[in-house]
Amino acid sequence: MVMPSSRVEKIPPYLFARIDKKKEEARGRGIDLIDFSIGDPDIPTPKNIVKKMQVAVRDPKNHRYPVYEGMLEFREAVANWYLKRFNVNLDPQTEVIALIGSKEGIAHLPWVYLEKGDIALVPSPGYPVYRITTLLAGGKPYIMPLREQNRFLPDFDIIPKHILEKAKIMFINYPNNPTGAHADELFYRKVIKLAKEHNILICHDAAYSEVTYDGYRASSILEFDRSKKYSIEFHSLSKTYCMTGWRIGFAVGSKDAIYNLGKLKTNIDSGVFQAIQYAAIEAMTGKQNSVQNMKKVFQKRRDMIVEGLASIDIKVKKPLATFYIWAKVPQGYTSASFCEKLIEEAGIVVTPGNGFGDEGEGYFRISLTVNDKRIREAIERLQQLKL
Ligand SMILES: *Cc1c(COP(=O)(O)O)cnc(C)c1O
């Protein structure tokens, strides 16, 4: 047997494997599962985007290798969207790059910046890609705990000075998966100040910037880093336009970061299928009413679930963004034991918080990707449950 590299061996075991096994067992026993563990909108991609794709896919000029950094037209659409949405000017030639989904760019970034043993500041709980790709690239993740008493923002004051001196990159993600938390202006100002003082590149994952409720408007980190020297921001069309399966996103910000990420990527991939780039241009420049409709659907579900949880004495504040609810497990349970109980005794699947890092222990995540009828049924089942 050929052994895999230590790099691959270092990847921690898949944390949801146990839940998947429980799910399978429950299904085997004929239990009708209601699955709140899927971080993928159940709403189809808007029709105007699909139509554009149908036209673009027929054009033979789109069948060839794409321009690796994204067609200029695509990058211009991104720059125009940024100007309109955040009042941030971007040079489409040097400050924008297309990605095969934002996950692709996030996963490659540590390879651009980390030498063996270099530190990346990584939030916990958090999107697992930050930590794992830091490890793969040979870097050292330094965990920034996100705590409820701090509104799930990292506390920079508790990071030792020698760590800040050694850190090269920092991942942050607001609006946040899995906590649903959002960041205020003061937070972004603090982050940029820290980045300047310690020469750290801030990697802001803004995948949920458009999935917001109750009038809340999320910021771009570039609104606070006008020099664009200290940050790179990752965006995705996946969540905003219900396009998770299409695989397109982009990064913007620091010229150096965009250039070097592009340099790495030309040696790994060959860009995004041009027909998909045309569809993405339509998404960003066409009618935006689908975004409003999607938010209405999620907002209603959010309210139903928060009220349902309150009826069984699990109290959570309504998140102002994302399609996740992050709640504490009842007293006497761990994340795993509570999630297993929900599957076995109520046929309800939620994600155990510790799957997002050790600091997620004691919590569970509910995705708002289940329709109203099934949500009502799930709440009835929860109310029958003995906790
Ligand atoms: C969904 C998600 C992404 C990645 O989306 P792509 O489909 O790869 O563009 C990135 N970050 C977070 C936090 C996400 O939840």
Side-chain angles (χ1 to χ4, degrees):
M1 191 177 83
V2 180
M3 291 299 287
S5 67
S6 60
R7 188 183 308 119
V8 166
E9 296 229 288
K10 250 190 245 165
I11 301 176
Y14 180 58
L15 273 148
F16 303 121
R18 213 166 118 175
I19 287 288
D20 284 351
K21 200 161 154 251
K22 292 273 167 201
K23 261 164 83 168
E24 211 145 281
E25 280 168 17
R27 280 215 181 92
R29 278 182 285 143
I31 295 177
D32 163 38
L33 290 178
I34 306 178
D35 195 344
F36 290 95
S37 69
I38 299 166
D40 187 348
D42 56 325
I43 301 167
T45 305
K47 285 201 180 72
N48 61 316
I49 302 171
V50 174
K51 263 196 198 132
K52 187 74 189 188
M53 178 72 182
Q54 286 171 325
V55 174
V57 81
R58 276 190 214 116
D59 185 345
K61 91 172 192 300
N62 294 330
H63 298 170
R64 313 193 66 187
Y65 283 122
V67 185
Y68 87 85
E69 68 272 32
M71 296 182 296
L72 187 57
E73 238 179 299
F74 171 80
R75 288 176 288 146
E76 281 168 351
V78 169
N80 288 333
W81 184 77
Y82 249 74
L83 185 62
K84 231 166 64 192
R85 173 64 180 80
F86 300 113
N87 195 26
V88 167
N89 272 296
L90 293 171
D91 175 358
Q93 299 271 12
T94 57
E95 294 173 336
V96 181
I97 188 167
L99 300 171
I100 310 169
S102 61
K103 182 182 189 177
E104 178 263 302
I106 293 166
H108 281 139
L109 197 83
W111 298 91
V112 175
Y113 283 99
L114 302 180
E115 301 280 352
K116 194 167 165 27
D118 278 349
I119 288 175
L121 300 164
V122 169
S124 170
Y127 188 53
V129 180
Y130 314 137
R131 182 170 162 272
I132 294 186
T133 57
T134 293
L135 287 170
L136 284 176
K140 270 200 187 140
Y142 181 88
I143 298 299
M144 303 187 292
L146 306 186
R147 304 235 161 91
E148 194 159 353
Q149 73 260 27
N150 211 16
R151 290 174 295 125
F152 298 110
L153 299 170
D155 179 357
F156 301 131
D157 297 336
I158 63 172
I159 304 173
K161 197 136 189 245
H162 71 276
I163 297 290
L164 289 172
E165 290 309 321
K166 272 182 68 186
K168 291 190 77 181
I169 59 178
M170 177 196 291
F171 285 103
I172 53 170
N173 162 223
Y174 294 100
N176 184 258
N177 175 12
T179 67
H182 61 280
D184 52 16
E185 296 192 0
L186 184 67
F187 173 76
Y188 287 113
R189 292 215 165 85
K190 270 198 226 165
V191 175
I192 294 300
K193 187 163 169 271
L194 198 79
K196 283 184 188 169
E197 279 170 11
H198 301 281
N199 198 27
I200 298 169
L201 180 73
I202 308 298
C203 312
H204 186 223
D205 178 353
Y208 295 93
S209 70
E210 307 314 298
V211 189
T212 59
Y213 316 109
D214 304 336
Y216 171 67
R217 234 168 147 275
S219 301
S220 160
I221 194 158
L222 297 175
E223 293 172 56
F224 307 93
D225 176 21
R226 291 283 170 185
S227 73
K228 289 176 272 187
K229 272 191 198 154
Y230 301 98
S231 41
I232 179 167
E233 187 157 74
F234 293 92
H235 265 276
S236 171
L237 282 94
S238 292
K239 315 293 160 64
T240 310
Y241 301 105
C242 304
M243 290 175 76
T244 48
W246 297 60
R247 310 315 303 137
I248 184 158
F250 52 89
V252 301
S254 155
K255 271 190 187 60
D256 286 340
I258 297 292
Y259 170 78
N260 288 307
L261 181 59
K263 191 171 164 191
L264 178 79
K265 271 169 59 59
T266 31
N267 289 286
I268 296 173
D269 64 66
S270 301
V272 179
F273 182 26
Q274 283 202 8
I276 295 177
Q277 294 191 49
Y278 279 115
I281 293 170
E282 171 62 25
M284 287 183 283
T285 60
K287 277 193 305 188
Q288 299 295 306
N289 53 342
S290 68
V291 183
Q292 290 307 323
N293 294 339
M294 165 193 71
K295 295 202 293 185
K296 244 189 242 157
V297 169
F298 286 140
Q299 183 163 350
K300 183 170 177 218
R301 293 175 183 177
R302 176 199 69 170
D303 295 349
M304 287 170 73
I305 291 175
V306 169
E307 282 152 31
L309 288 174
S311 76
I312 60 161
D313 230 27
I314 295 178
K315 293 192 181 66
V316 278
K317 278 207 205 99
K318 288 180 183 170
L320 290 185
T322 76
F323 43 71
Y324 304 113
I325 309 243
W326 183 247
K328 267 208 177 93
V329 300
Q331 195 121 52
Y333 293 93
T334 62
S335 290
S337 70
F338 184 64
C339 293
E340 282 168 26
K341 184 185 172 79
L342 286 188
I343 294 178
E344 280 166 9
E345 296 175 27
I348 292 171
V349 187
V350 299
T351 312
N354 59 325
F356 302 98
D358 292 345
E359 299 291 334
E361 176 52 48
Y363 289 86
F364 64 102
R365 191 192 75 175
I366 295 178
S367 286
L368 304 175
T369 50
V370 171
N371 69 37
D372 296 5
K373 185 167 161 269
R374 296 287 274 170
I375 290 174
R376 261 180 240 115
E377 195 178 328
I379 292 169
E380 277 167 26
R381 291 189 196 176
L382 284 175
Q383 289 166 341
Q384 306 291 318
L385 198 67
K386 278 205 179 56
L387 291 174

